[in-house]
Amino acid sequence: MNAIEIVAETCPECGAPLVHALDCWGQLGAMIAWEWQDPELMAQHFLTIASYNLQHPAQFTAEALAGLREQFIDHLDNGVPIQEIRRRVSSLAEGNTKVLIPAADRHPVLHHWPMSIADVYLPDQPAAAADRVKAWAASIRTELRRG
Ligand SMILES: [Zn+2]
């Protein structure tokens, strides 16, 4: 056993391990930073954010989560373009829909996913990140189908 205390080695909600000392939120930030040099990854921005959020549902209201799931599925299954998804999401925001629940009322539950952001954010392999995002989203889609 190491004498150094290690705090939160894995995310209590998505189960992602630390990658280069970054937790899953930090890994998401690093992915977003990659988008600026990677137009293919930038094009998958919606799937990156939606996949991350769907693996961290505790922060969202039931309505917001249902809406997110619906847009995610509509995009993957029916090919609804990102521009249309964006339009729908912004019209929801105009309706002043409450998206987040207060931090004290969040109860994260660990779910074991086939892929987490730690499988997508590979620090030494930025090249195929867009393909990994698509695989990540597809794996989440399969889990959602299971219910
Ligand atoms: Zn997480």
Side-chain angles (χ1 to χ4, degrees):
M1 279 297 287
N2 200 317
I4 299 165
E5 191 189 354
I6 297 168
V7 187
E9 284 175 71
T10 59
C11 172
E13 197 167 17
C14 75
L18 297 178
V19 175
H20 289 202
L22 292 176
D23 64 7
C24 66
W25 177 248
Q27 292 168 46
L28 179 67
M31 294 268 310
I32 301 304
W34 277 354
E35 290 180 353
W36 297 101
Q37 300 123 11
D38 184 345
E40 259 187 85
L41 183 62
M42 178 79 96
Q44 302 306 325
H45 181 78
F46 168 75
L47 282 185
T48 303
I49 300 293
S51 296
Y52 184 86
N53 285 342
L54 287 168
Q55 291 191 335
H56 298 86
Q59 61 191 309
F60 297 107
T61 62
E63 294 80 4
L65 197 58
L68 173 63
R69 199 175 293 198
E70 196 185 309
Q71 306 307 329
F72 180 78
I73 290 172
D74 231 8
H75 176 64
L76 290 179
D77 291 14
N78 305 325
V80 174
I82 295 299
Q83 294 88 333
E84 169 63 13
I85 301 278
R86 276 212 199 98
R87 198 192 57 77
R88 290 182 192 171
V89 170
S90 73
S91 75
L92 276 177
E94 276 162 28
N96 208 11
T97 313
K98 203 163 167 251
V99 172
L100 297 177
I101 61 174
D105 298 337
R106 298 174 191 174
H107 306 289
V109 176
L110 181 62
H111 183 104
H112 292 284
W113 300 90
M115 282 182 83
S116 74
I117 191 157
D119 300 300
V120 181
Y121 176 63
L122 307 179
D124 51 342
Q125 297 172 50
D131 290 334
R132 292 195 300 272
V133 166
K134 288 182 212 166
W136 184 29
S139 75
I140 293 169
R141 177 67 190 98
T142 303
E143 287 286 295
L144 293 180
R145 200 172 275 127
R146 252 174 231 150

